[in-house]
Every structure is written in structure tokens, then in C-alpha cells.
């Protein structure tokens, strides 16, 4: 049987999983796989450095366990014993309000209160704000037929403006570094929309879901998994498997164009020509039966050029924002705060210059030496789109000033790193699901062209792994 020639565009986790699946498949056609990555490294937003006993994740440091795709993949790759959960004693979250740090009340499920006493006692909300949240129990349900709506519209309608400002915007919008008045509730947190669909109330729905879970002794299990050596271990394991199976990984190879092969006969299945920039500055090309676009949507639109005007417009219409991560390491005695939490999320109306801070050495075991503290500070996003124009030194200075104000840290850090993610965070805005359906409809008219990744159906690592599995299955099915 003649091997199918497959080009995977994009060396983030999605592209790597597609290549790994095609090369490790036990059934179906044998595939020859070339993976092209424009940058000099693999991993996309996943980036891990290790130095002096510190494990530093610049991008995602974990993935949710509730979606099993990433956990299953780690076990399949022999990383099962490397999986770790968050430290049980440090799972609280701080929110600054009116000059003080307050802990988020227990029992919140994605900004929905499910326990009366912690909610009643918290100083985070005014009495009118708490009363407005409780109205969710009696407010009428919005018919699903009315279609998609933004996170902001959804939470204001169900829980009120104060709940959105204090919890919804920094928590839910913060995951995407995006604008809650643009982000789609059904494409970002469909489980919240489904609570209203099924129960007519977010609070009633969250309570019903909690009752379904079996009671456990001690602290609840961690909702997240990471890897002992950082999330880069997943990228490294995938790359090893691909190369061992004969896959061809080319970094520093930006794709210039993806075109139909002009030599294809009228009745023959179409083939594709992928042109990319080689290290010597020349352009090289590969002919393929299938092309899997696992790059950002704007990069895919540029590469596909004039193949289909509507497809290009749809891809370019998926917005992105830029973010930066500043990682600072301190001698533990230099940090007066107990760091007894996952970190701090910051409401927009606090007018701070950072989005959030994570206490990495408290959140995960083994991320820093015993006598040190490791903190990540997030900047940019829709709140400050020009943040990455600043130099590394300026971003480190900004992070230090904010940590000094929030945590009382005045000492110089032992180590500082800046990670930049320019136009790297896809924004599933209202209408995103319909846009993606149309993209896939057009792709079906272009046999051998496939799309997967954070731009399409979920930005988290488990969603990217699932989409990669589906794309590899679609190639095999052809």
C-alpha cells in the first residue's frame, strides 16, 4: 500500500499529537508525516525552562482533569507517574478589594455560589450585590433558541453586575485574557449555559451537580494535573515518539503557502503543495495528500491565501490577544506574605497593571528549592493590549512593583524571566461556534484539508488533544 503523505502545519501540542497519532496508528493507511513549525522551538504556548532547581512554565502550567484527553495521553506516553495535582492545603484564591486581599469564598463553582455561610460572610460583595446574586433562584430562564450571548451578558443577567465585576471578569475572562462582553459563553463555559438550560437557575443547577458527586473525606481531589518537570515534558515526549516513528520535524520552517497541486488530474483526489521557508533563506515545497492546519487561525488564513475567499475571511475573523508572563524567584524570607494560595486574580476595577499572579511554589510541589518562592505575573490581554511593547526590563520592574503593593515584597528577585505570546491567545467571541461550523463545511469541499487547535473548539490542552485525535482520525478515514 502506498503511504499517505501528510503535512502538519504547527508544532504546538495539537500538531504534535496529530503527527504522533498518525505515526503510531495500528490500523489504516501508513502515513509519512512532516511537521512544520515556524519558530525555532516546539510547543506553541507551552514553554518550560529548568534552572537552579526551579521549574518555570512560561505558558500553561496544567490542564483540567475533568476532560480526560490530556491525562490519558500522558499515561499513554509513559508520563503517568509524572502527573501531579495541586498542593491540597493551598487551593484558596485571593482577590484584592479596597486595599486588602480577601479569600474567595468556599463553594464557588465558576463564579456561582453553592454554600450559604461562606458567601454570606465574605466582604467581597456588598449586601445589595449578594441579594442580586440570590435572585438567580427566581429569575426566568432565557430560551436557548435566542442563541449565543457573551459571558458578560450571561452573568449580569443571572447574577448581577457586581458578581461579574468581582468574580466573572477576572476568573472567566482571565482564562482567555479576553473581554467578557465579547467572549461567547457557549464556546468558553458551555457548562454554565447548560445549568440554566437544564435547571433554570445557575445556583440550583450547581447545587444539583454537587449532589451527584460522591462524598469524600479530606480535601477534594485536585481539579488539575501538571507534570513534575513542567508541561514541557509533554512536548518533549511527543517529539521523541514522532522522531522514533520516523516523523520529520522541521523547526524554523514558516509556511508560506498551501495550494492545490496543479498536476492533479480532474478525476483524481486533489493533492496539496505546501511551500515553506527553509533555514538557508530559500523556499522549499512538499506535496501532500493531506494538510492539517494546527497553526493560529491568522497564520492559516495567510498560508491558504486565495484558495477560498470566504474561508480566509472566516479564519481572519477569529481575534487574538497578546499576553506576557513574568516569572520571579525570591529567597523565601524576602516574601512576607504566607503565599498560602494558588494566587491572586484581579478585578478590572482595581485598576492594576497586571491581570493575575500565581504562587507557583505553593501551587505545585517541586517547582522551587525549599528556601525559595516562585511567582508568575500575567500582563497584557485585552485590558492592556500594548503591554508587550515594553522591554523585558520594564515588564520585570512592573511585576516587582505590583508584587510589592500586593504582597509586600521589596527585595530584588534571585531570578527573572519574561515570556512573550504575541497574538497567541485565540478569542472565542459570540458566534464562534457558528463560525467554526462554517469553516469545517468549507473544508469538506476541499478534500485533504483539516483544521484543529485552540482557534476552533476549545483552547485548553485537553481540548487541543481531542481535536488532534479527531483530525488524525479524519486523515485515516480518507
Amino acid at each position: 500500500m502506498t503511504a499517505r503523505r501528510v503535512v502538519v502545519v504547527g508544532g504546538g501540542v495539537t500538531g504534535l499529537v496529530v503527527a504522533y497519532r498518525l505515526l503510531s496508528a495500528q490500523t489504516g493507511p501508513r502515513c509519512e508525516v512532516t511537521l512544520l513549525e515556524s519558530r525555532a522551538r516546539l510547543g506553541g504556548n507551552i514553554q518550560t525552562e529548568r534552572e537552579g532547581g526551579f521549574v518555570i512554565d512560561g505558558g500553561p502550567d496544567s490542564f483540567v482533569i475533568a476532560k480526560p484527553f490530556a491525562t490519558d495521553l500522558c499515561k499513554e506516553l509513559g508520563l503517568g507517574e509524572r502527573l501531579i495535582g495541586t498542593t491540597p492545603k493551598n487551593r484558596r484564591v485571593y482577590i484584592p478589594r479596597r486595599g486588602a486581599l480577601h479569600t474567595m469564598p468556599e463553594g464557588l463553582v465558576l463564579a456561582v455560589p453553592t454554600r450559604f455561610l461562606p458567601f454570606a460572610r465574605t466582604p467581597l460583595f456588598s449586601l445589595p450585590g449578594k441579594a442580586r446574586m440570590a435572585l438567580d433562584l427566581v429569575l426566568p430562564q432565557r430560551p436557548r433558541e435566542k442563541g449565543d450571548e457573551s459571558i458578560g451578558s450571561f452573568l449580569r443577567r443571572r447574577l448581577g453586575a457586581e458578581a461579574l465585576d468581582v468574580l466573572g471578569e477576572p476568573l472567566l475572562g482571565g482564562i482567555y485574557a479576553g473581554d467578557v462582553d465579547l467572549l461567547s459563553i457557549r464556546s468558553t463555559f458551555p457548562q454554565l449555559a447548560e445549568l440554566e438550560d437544564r435547571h433554570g437557575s445557575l445556583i440550583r443547577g450547581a447545587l444539583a451537580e454537587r449532589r451527584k458527586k460522591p462524598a469524600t473525606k479530606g480535601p477534594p481531589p485536585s481539579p488539575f494535573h501538571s507534570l513534575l518537570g513542567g508541561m514541557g515534558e509533554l512536548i518533549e515526549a511527543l517529539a521523541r515518539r514522532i522522531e522514533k516513528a520516523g516523523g520529520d520535524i522541521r523547526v524554523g520552517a514558516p509556511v508560506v503557502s498551501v495550494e492545490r497541486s496543479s498536476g492533479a488530474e480532474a478525476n483524481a483526489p486533489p493533492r496539496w503543495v505546501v511551500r515553506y521557508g527553509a533555514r538557508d533563506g530559500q523556499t522549499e515545497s512538499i506535496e501532500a495528500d493531506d494538510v492539517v492546519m494546527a497553526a493560529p487561525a491568522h497564520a492559516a488564513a495567510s498560508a491558504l491565501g486565495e484558495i477560498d475567499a470566504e474561508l480566509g475571511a472566516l479564519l481572519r475573523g477569529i481575534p487574538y490577544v497578546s499576553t506576557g508572563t513574568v516569572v520571579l524567584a525570591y529567597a523565601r524570607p524576602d516574601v512576607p506574605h504566607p503565599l498560602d494560595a494558588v494566587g491572586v486574580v484581579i478585578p478590572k476595577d482595581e485598576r492594576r497593571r497586571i491581570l493575575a499572579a500565581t504562587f507557583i511554589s505553593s501551587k505545585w510541589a517541586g517547582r522551587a528549592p525549599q528556601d525559595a518562592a516562585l511567582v508568575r505575573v500575567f500582563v497584557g490581554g485585552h485590558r492592556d493590549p500594548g503591554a508587550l511593547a515594553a522591554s523585558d526590563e520594564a515588564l520585570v520592574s512592573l511585576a516587582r512593583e505590583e508584587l510589592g503593593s500586593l504582597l509586600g515584597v521589596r527585595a530584588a528577585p534571585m531570578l527573572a524571566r519574561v515570556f512573550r505570546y504575541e497574538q497567541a491567545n485565540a478569542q472565542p467571541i459570540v458566534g464562534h461556534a457558528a463560525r467554526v461550523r462554517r469553516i469545517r463545511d468549507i473544508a469538506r469541499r476541499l478534500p485533504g484539508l483539516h483544521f484543529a487547535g485552540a482557534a476552533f473548539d476549545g483552547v485548553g490542552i485537553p481540548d487541543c488533544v481531542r481535536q488532534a485525535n479527531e483530525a488524525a482520525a479524519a486523515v485515516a478515514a480518507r
Side-chain angles (χ1 to χ4, degrees), residues 437-449:
R437 283 195 299 272
R438 183 58 185 154
I439 289 170
R440 298 202 188 282
D441 287 343
I442 295 171
R444 278 190 281 273
R445 303 202 307 259
L446 301 166
L449 182 62

Side-chain angles (χ1 to χ4, degrees), residues 212-255:
K212 290 180 184 178
K213 296 178 181 178
T216 57
K217 293 182 179 179
S222 170
F224 301 103
H225 268 154
S226 188
L227 291 160
L228 277 170
M231 289 307 306
E233 287 192 353
L234 175 58
I235 303 304
E236 294 155 8
L238 285 166
R240 285 194 300 269
R241 291 293 188 99
I242 291 167
E243 290 174 339
K244 185 176 180 180
D248 181 13
I249 295 176
R250 305 182 191 183
V251 296
V255 170

Side-chain angles (χ1 to χ4, degrees), residues 39 41 43-48 56-60 320-326 376 378-381 388 418-425:
R39 285 168 285 198
R41 65 171 182 85
N45 286 1
I46 298 176
Q47 189 174 2
T48 302
I56 303 166
D57 279 313
Y320 280 72
V321 297
S322 301
T323 58
T325 309
V326 183
R376 296 202 307 171
F378 301 93
V379 298
L388 268 61
V418 176
F419 300 86
R420 295 168 179 271
Y421 298 99
E422 298 271 4
Q423 293 296 297
N425 298 269

Side-chain angles (χ1 to χ4, degrees), residues 334-347:
D334 288 338
V335 183
H337 192 275
L339 301 180
D340 53 348
V342 168
V344 182
V345 296
I346 300 173

Side-chain angles (χ1 to χ4, degrees), residues 95-102 124 350:
I95 298 177
R97 296 299 283 170
R98 295 174 287 277
L101 288 178
H102 301 281
L124 282 171
E350 286 291 305

Side-chain angles (χ1 to χ4, degrees), residues 343-415:
V344 182
V345 296
I346 300 173
K348 185 177 180 179
D349 64 6
E350 286 291 305
R351 305 250 189 266
R352 290 193 171 269
R353 295 174 295 166
I354 63 174
L355 304 175
T358 306
F359 308 155
I360 292 296
S361 50
S362 298
K363 184 179 179 184
W364 306 105
R367 289 298 199 261
Q370 279 291 114
D371 57 351
L374 191 65
V375 181
R376 296 202 307 171
V377 175
F378 301 93
V379 298
H382 93 98
R383 288 193 201 171
D384 188 4
L388 268 61
S391 66
D392 284 3
E393 292 77 12
L395 290 176
V396 169
S397 177
L398 166 64
R400 289 184 60 188
E401 289 174 17
E402 289 290 327
L403 290 184
S405 172
L406 286 166
L407 308 178
V409 186
R410 307 298 176 192
M414 304 162 56
L415 173 151

